[in-house]
Structure formats: C-alpha cells, structure tokens
Amino acid sequence: MYKRKTRDRYDIETNYGYGWEVECSEYTYSEARQRLKEYRDNSCGRFASRMKTRREKIEEESAVIGG
C-alpha cells in the first residue's frame, strides 16, 4: 500500500507593500479558503492577500521512547 511522503500545506500570504509575508498555514483546503476570506474581509481591500500551496515532508514518528 502506498503511503504519502509529503502533505499539502496552504499558506495565507499578505503583501503590506514590502513583499509577501506568511500570515498563517492550514492543512485543509476548506480551512485555508475560510482564513483567506477572513483576511480579505478584515483588510478592507487595503492589502493584497493570496493562498499558496506548498508541500512539506511528513516526518516519521520515532517508535523508541525514553531513549
């Protein structure tokens, strides 16, 4: 059975005039769309906001406890 080695991360970015800054990250598309809508509503159109999809490696959890 195939096991994914990466997972999708959705970064919400805002440009305040000095370049794009990551405001927050979500791991589900629906939550990311909701955060993006909130950032756009709260900025009242003064600042540009966008969502970028990135992949991050899934770290294997160690089975050894206590070392």
Side-chain angles (χ1 to χ4, degrees):
M1 177 180 234
Y2 175 76
K3 185 174 180 183
R4 284 189 69 176
K5 295 174 181 66
T6 61
R7 66 178 159 208
D8 296 330
R9 184 185 75 212
Y10 303 95
D11 292 339
I12 307 303
E13 299 178 341
T14 305
N15 189 341
Y16 294 107
Y18 302 103
W20 293 98
E21 298 179 23
V22 175
E23 298 291 337
C24 67
S25 299
E26 296 289 345
Y27 290 103
T28 62
Y29 183 76
S30 60
E31 286 289 322
R33 290 293 299 172
Q34 182 63 34
R35 295 295 154 266
L36 180 61
K37 182 181 181 314
E38 291 168 2
Y39 273 96
R40 285 180 174 167
D41 290 345
N42 289 331
S43 72
C44 301
R46 292 179 293 179
F47 306 110
S49 296
R50 68 182 181 186
M51 178 173 55
K52 295 288 280 192
T53 304
R54 295 189 169 87
R55 297 243 169 121
E56 65 181 27
K57 186 176 179 179
I58 297 175
E59 299 292 329
E60 298 269 341
E61 295 203 14
S62 177
V64 177
I65 299 175

